[in-house]
Every structure is written in C-alpha cells, then in structure tokens.
C-alpha cells in the first residue's frame, strides 16, 4: 500500500522556489531516506507532507486520503520529529509525553502505560523524573523523538534527528528507527549523512535545489555514482 503520494509539489517563499514540481512516494513499511544538502528543500517538503506549510500547487494524498479534505484525520497517524528540538525543558520527560499524548486524546492508565513504554523505548526510563534542561543534546533528541511516538503513529517523519549529538545517542536513535520499522511503522528519514541512509534506508530520494535529482535503492544509487 502507498502511505503517501505527493505530486507536482510547488512551494515558493517570495521569489524563491523551495520545491519545484516534486513527486514523492512513500510505501508502507519502508524506511525512505530523504537526502540533500542544506537548503535543498527537505524540511519544506516534509512540512508540506505533515500539513504544516501550505503548498502553491500540487496534490498530497496520505493513507489514501486527500490531505486538503482529511488533514485532521491524517495528522492523528503521523508523528513528526522536528529538526529543532521541540520539548518543554522545564517539564520532566513524563510530563512532556503526557502533554503530547493528551493532544492525541490519550488519558488515564492508557496514557501512563504508553508514557512508560515510550520512555523505555527511547532509553530514558531512569531519567523520567529529571528536568530536560540538564540533559545532554542526545538525551534531548531522544525525548523529542519520544514526544512524536507516544501516540504510535503509522508514519513517522524525522527531520535530521541525529544532528549534533554524541555517537552513543546516535547509535541508539538509529537502532530505534530500525526497531520501529520491524514493528510496522513507515519512516521518512531526512538527513544529509549518506552513511545514515546506507545504514537505514531501503530506498532513497535525493533532493537538490527543490528538485528530485535521483531516487532508488541505496545499491542503485551507489552503482549510479560509480558509473558517472
Ligand atoms: P537544511 O538541511 O538546512 O534544513 P532543507 O533541505 O531542509 O535544508 P529547506 O529548509 O526546506 O531546506 O529550505 C529550502 C529553501 O527555502 C532554502 O533556500 C531556504 O532558504 C528557503 N526557505 C525555507 N523556509 C523559508 C521561509 N520560512 N521563508 C523564506 N525562505 C525559506
């Protein structure tokens, strides 16, 4: 099944063309790597997919539904890990997750259980009652990921989730992404590290200056680069 189908997406910021007729398909159960240099349009594209920025033209279908007509419905099944960490630094991790879980209608014991499971999943259970303001960059990133996972989205969108963190947290995040895929979550993983794409993704889309310049399996792309 197709999880997302974006066609002919155009997005301008003033005179600048951030997305220039971009097509993107995400298949159920895959880790799709979205690769590209700074300013390529990756964040704009995933924000369009998540319904956070409006597009100038094109069409977006998610879970087989038209995004314009079914945005709220679609958002229930999407988790977005933003590039800039979006957590409450003065609230302990469990309170952060209670806030984000609450937005999705979780409450009572179901919410409590989900918070404990999610903190364990990202490897922060022993820090559940500590203030994130004192966390390392890697721990904050893991909490940021937990906030996007607490409602168990079917599609998880991750915007450069390993930028500026220690290798241990980085490995933990990469392993969590693989585990989520094993559990059936579809993942769109944005990065500018080729080695992360090689380690994780079944398919890759390369974006540059608002254009898709290549796509295929990692092996396809490596072969393509070798023959050029
Ligand atoms: P990065 O790896 O640096 O996050 P990116 O591939 O995610 O880059 P975008 O952030 O989507 O790229 O930016 C694409 C283009 O659109 C860039 O030229 C950027 O300067 C421009 N842009 C992005 N957001 C805005 C905005 N809110 N207003 C004006 N221009 C913007």
């Amino acid at each position: 099944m197709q999880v997302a189908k974006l066609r002919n997406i155009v997005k301008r910021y003033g005179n600048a063309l951030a997305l220039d007729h971009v097509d993107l398909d995400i298949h159920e159960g895959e880790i799709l790597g979205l690769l590209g240099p700074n300013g390529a349009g990756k964040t704009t594209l995933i924000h369009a997919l998540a319904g956070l920025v409006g597009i100038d033209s094109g069409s977006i279908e998610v879970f087989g539904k038209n995004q314009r007509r079914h945005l709220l419905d679609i958002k229930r099944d999407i988790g977005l890990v933003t590039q800039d960490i979006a957590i409450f630094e003065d609230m302990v991790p469990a309170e952060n997750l209670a806030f984000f879980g609450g937005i999705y209608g979780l409450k009572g014991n179901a919410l409590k259980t989900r918070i404990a499971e999610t903190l364990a999943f990202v490897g922060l259970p022993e820090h559940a009652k500590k203030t994130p303001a004192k966390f390392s960059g890697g721990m904050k990133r893991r909490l940021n990921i937990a906030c996007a996972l607490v409602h168990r989205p079917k599609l998880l969108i991750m915007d450069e989730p390993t930028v500026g963190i220690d290798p241990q947290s980085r490995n933990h995040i990469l392993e969590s992404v693989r585990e989520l895929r094993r559990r059936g979550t579809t993942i769109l993983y944005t990065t500018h590290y080729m080695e992360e794409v090689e380690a994780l993704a079944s398919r890759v889309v390369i974006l540059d200056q608002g254009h898709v310049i290549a796509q295929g399996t990692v092996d396809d792309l490596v072969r393509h680069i070798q023959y050029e």
Side-chain angles (χ1 to χ4, degrees):
M1 203 193 88
Q2 198 82 322
V3 164
K5 189 168 146 186
L6 286 76
R7 289 292 175 270
N8 263 318
I9 307 300
V10 175
K11 173 68 185 175
R12 287 189 186 83
Y13 293 107
N15 288 330
L17 197 51
L19 297 173
D20 186 4
H21 297 90
V22 171
D23 290 348
L24 183 79
D25 290 293
I26 307 175
H27 309 307
E28 188 171 16
E30 74 175 347
I31 300 178
L32 176 63
L34 180 61
L35 192 68
N38 286 334
K42 306 180 297 296
T43 300
T44 304
L45 184 61
I46 62 179
H47 283 186
L49 169 63
L52 296 182
V53 300
I55 52 176
D56 294 306
S57 61
S59 68
I60 302 178
E61 231 178 60
V62 190
F63 310 121
K65 294 173 193 155
N66 180 301
Q67 193 212 47
R68 241 177 249 263
R69 281 199 289 268
H70 301 279
L71 185 57
L72 268 184
D73 213 15
I74 289 169
K75 277 189 173 180
R76 260 178 223 124
D77 289 321
I78 291 184
L80 174 66
V81 179
T82 49
Q83 193 174 336
D84 299 322
I85 294 175
I87 55 174
F88 297 102
E89 299 232 347
D90 53 347
M91 279 161 52
V92 300
E95 288 167 341
N96 267 279
L97 293 195
F99 175 82
F100 287 101
I103 291 177
Y104 290 94
L106 287 165
K107 50 183 184 246
N109 282 337
L111 176 60
K112 255 193 194 157
T113 311
R114 194 64 72 77
I115 290 171
E117 283 170 4
T118 312
L119 285 177
F121 183 76
V122 297
L124 290 176
E126 70 275 25
H127 303 288
K129 300 213 164 84
K130 294 183 192 162
T131 311
K134 293 184 185 137
F135 282 5
S136 69
M139 287 160 71
K140 285 183 191 174
R141 284 258 168 223
R142 288 197 246 166
L143 178 57
N144 198 40
I145 292 171
C147 291
L149 281 178
V150 69
H151 65 295
R152 293 214 183 132
K154 290 188 202 150
L155 170 63
L156 181 67
I157 303 170
M158 307 181 88
D159 195 356
E160 305 195 24
T162 58
V163 166
I165 62 172
D166 58 285
Q168 197 196 346
S169 280
R170 183 167 182 240
N171 287 338
H172 194 284
I173 289 172
L174 297 186
E175 194 39 55
S176 307
V177 174
R178 285 192 203 97
E179 178 56 27
L180 283 169
R181 196 196 75 90
R182 282 193 284 271
R183 295 180 186 187
T185 310
T186 304
I187 295 148
L188 177 59
Y189 191 95
T190 301
T191 179
H192 40 232
Y193 300 124
M194 184 60 188
E195 66 272 20
E196 286 194 352
V197 163
E198 282 185 280
L200 284 177
S202 29
R203 227 158 47 80
V204 191
V205 169
I206 303 180
L207 204 62
D208 192 19
Q209 297 186 354
H211 296 275
V212 173
I213 57 162
Q215 57 183 312
T217 62
V218 173
D219 289 348
D220 284 345
L221 292 180
V222 170
R223 235 175 287 138
H224 180 79
I225 291 163
Q226 280 168 350
Y227 287 121
E228 256 185 5

